[in-house]
Amino acid sequence: VPPLAEWVASQGGDVSVVQAADAAQLGVGLVAARAVRRGDRLLSVPEELAITAESALRSELLGAYLVEFEPYLADYSFIAVALLNEERLGEQSSLAPWLSSACWQVEQHD
């Protein structure tokens, strides 16, 4: 996933200590790319690249709609809606490099 690592770095993050690896039936995971010790920072991702319930509620596009459901739905619901919206935006999404990466390539079964 080097292009993804480059994109994260261009946004102020660092994922150079980890690399993507097949996690058996769980999909893609991260493993240390070198020896690490307790206390080592393995990765850093700027908050702007994270989809959180708070960022979904602050969204110019979604926030006004989601706030009506805030007391009734769990945080993961807001995250799911925001993620679906980013997918809908496609290449226009600020997260397009992440969403189009191998991390999201799901094997389809009939």
Side-chain angles (χ1 to χ4, degrees):
V1 190
L4 182 58
E6 289 177 20
W7 174 71
V8 172
S10 75
Q11 302 298 308
D14 179 18
V15 294
S16 62
V17 179
V18 296
Q19 63 187 26
D22 183 23
Q25 296 176 341
L26 299 174
V28 177
L30 294 176
V31 297
R34 62 170 173 79
V36 294
R37 296 176 19 185
R38 184 183 305 213
D40 286 354
R41 177 178 288 177
L42 301 181
L43 60 95
S44 66
V45 178
E47 188 174 343
E48 298 80 37
L49 300 184
I51 297 176
T52 65
E54 291 78 21
S55 67
L57 289 165
R58 287 192 313 264
S59 164
E60 289 181 27
L61 181 64
L62 300 174
Y65 301 105
L66 294 178
V67 73
E68 295 181 33
F69 298 98
E70 185 175 12
Y72 308 108
L73 296 177
D75 286 356
Y76 65 82
S77 301
F78 299 122
I79 294 167
V81 170
L83 182 58
L84 288 170
N85 183 61
E86 294 298 328
E87 274 286 320
R88 181 190 65 78
L89 290 172
E91 289 301 314
Q92 295 178 349
S93 167
S94 62
L95 302 176
W98 172 53
L99 296 172
S100 64
S101 74
C103 296
W104 292 96
Q105 306 308 312
V106 177
E107 189 175 315
Q108 304 255 335
H109 298 282
D110 292 327

